[in-house]
Amino acid sequence: MAEDLELHQKYINRTLELAALGEGRVEPNPMVGAVVVRDDRVISEGWYEHFGGPHAEINAFNKAKESIEGATLYINLEPCAHFGKTPPCVDAIIKAKIKKVVFSIRDPNPVTAGKSVTILRNAGVEVMEGIGERKSRMLNSPFFKLHTEGLPYFIAKWAMTLDGKIATRSGDSKWISSEESRSFSHEFREKMGAVMIGIGTALKDNPRLLGREGARNNPRRIILDSFARLPPDSEIVKTLKQAETHVVISPNAPQERVKQLFELGVKIFEIEEVSGKINFLKLARKLTELGINKVLIEGGGEVLASAFEADLVDEIMVFIAPKIIGGRNAPVPVAGDGVELIKNAFTLADPETKFIGTDIMVRSRINRR
C-alpha cells in the first residue's frame, strides 16, 4: 500500500509540473495536468493549454498512441462534470473506459464539486482522491480564492535594500535590484491577470508595466489615481495599445482630467474612498467583475499598505539587494500606519528563498487574518 501511495504521488507530481505550463494562459480557469498510466508506464500526458481550449484529460487522451482502455488517469484537480466552453470531462473518461481516476483535490466550483466522483463511481470507475492535495491547492490558490471568497488573489512585490528601503531620501530607486531580478520580474508579470500601482509610482518612475519585448501576454494595468493625475504623455498612456489600462478614480476626481484620459482610451472606474484612500475591498470586487483573478501589486508603499490593511494580500515576492541606503526619511515598502504590536504583525506561511543574481528573493504565502 505504501508503495502504491508513493507511485500515485509520483504521477500526481508530474501532473503538477504539466499543469504549471498553462500559467498565464488559462486564467481565470485552473491549471490542470493529466497523465495516463498503465502498469507503471506513461501512455500519454496533457495539460490545459489555453482558456477555452480542450481540458487536460482530453489533450492527454488525444495524444495517446495506443488504447487507453483500462488505464489509470492521474489529474491534479477533480475532472469537470458540467458543460462550459467544452463538454464534461467525466463523459470522455467513461467513454474511454478508464479503469481508475486518481486526483488531488475537489473542484471548489459548486457546479462540479464532488459531482464527478459520484458520476464516475456510478459508471464503475474507481476513484481515489486526496493525493498531493496541499501542493495542488497551492498551485491553484487564485482559482480557489475566486470560488471561495469571490475575490482576486493578490501578490505584493517589491525590491528593497538590506536595511529595508525602496529608495533613497531623494526618491532615487533605479536600480535597487539586480538585472537578473528585473528580468525575472518581467517574466513573472506576464503570468498575471493584472499589475497594479499607485499614482505616486506612476509619476515618479513613469513605468510601462509591460512584460518582456515580444511578451506573449501583457497583463491589464490598474492605476490607483484618485484625482486622475496620470499624465497624457506618460509611458502608460503611450502604450495603451499594448495592454488594457484602467485608472481607478475617486468621486472627487476633476471631470476634465477624467474626460481627457477616457478620450485617449483609458478605461475609468470610480471607487469610493475611506479615510482618504480608495476602498480596497470594493476595488477587489470590481476586479473580480472584470474577470481578473490574479493581481501583482508593484507599489508604492501606500498602495501596499492599503492592501495589507484590507487583509487581502495572499502572497509576497520580495527582492533583497545587498545594499544599505540608510536615512530616516528614505521610503519603506509598506507604508501606512502599520501595526502597533508585534503580535499583530503579518506572518509568512511557507517562506522560500533563492538567489537571483546578487539578490535574495523571498516568496511566501501570507497568513491572512
Side-chain angles (χ1 to χ4, degrees), residues 33 36 50 58 61 66 123 128 216 223 261 279 302-303 336 341:
V36 181
H50 60 87
I58 308 306
F61 293 171
E66 60 184 85
M128 176 184 284
R216 60 178 170 80
I223 317 300
L261 289 173
N279 186 316
E302 295 298 337
V303 173
L341 303 173

Side-chain angles (χ1 to χ4, degrees), residues 142-293:
F143 179 72
F144 278 85
K145 186 181 180 186
L146 180 66
H147 283 282
T148 57
E149 299 182 46
L151 297 171
Y153 187 86
F154 289 95
I155 303 173
K157 170 191 161 290
W158 65 84
M160 69 181 186
T161 58
L162 200 57
D163 58 337
K165 307 296 184 181
I166 60 171
T168 67
R169 67 177 186 274
S170 67
D172 182 37
S173 60
K174 293 186 177 180
W175 294 103
I176 284 178
S177 59
S178 66
E179 184 176 341
E180 293 87 348
S181 292
R182 297 196 298 276
S183 178
F184 180 92
S185 296
H186 278 81
E187 184 177 352
F188 186 78
R189 187 184 286 163
E190 296 170 25
K191 300 174 182 178
M192 299 294 106
V195 57
M196 177 188 296
I197 63 170
I199 185 59
T201 299
L203 294 174
K204 179 172 69 72
D205 295 341
N206 193 23
R208 299 171 76 224
L209 298 181
L210 301 174
R212 299 165 297 176
E213 192 69 31
R216 60 178 170 80
N217 173 57
N218 277 318
R220 283 186 260 192
R221 299 177 294 192
I222 312 295
I223 317 300
L224 306 192
D225 185 10
S226 295
F227 299 103
R229 293 189 292 154
L230 185 67
D233 61 349
S234 65
E235 288 297 320
I236 288 172
V237 175
K238 287 179 181 178
T239 55
L240 287 177
K241 291 183 179 179
Q242 295 183 51
E244 188 174 306
T245 302
H246 300 260
V247 166
V248 183
I249 62 170
S250 77
N252 299 319
Q255 288 307 301
E256 64 274 13
R257 291 182 192 165
V258 174
K259 182 174 182 290
Q260 183 181 39
L261 289 173
F262 178 78
E263 290 177 346
L264 288 169
V266 174
K267 296 182 183 299
I268 306 287
F269 60 89
E270 184 180 293
I271 300 288
E272 67 182 39
E273 291 188 330
V274 177
S275 301
K277 295 181 180 180
I278 286 174
N279 186 316
F280 212 92
L281 180 57
K282 287 197 173 182
L283 169 61
R285 288 173 177 155
K286 178 65 177 180
L287 297 181
T288 300
E289 291 175 12
L290 295 173
I292 297 170
N293 79 324

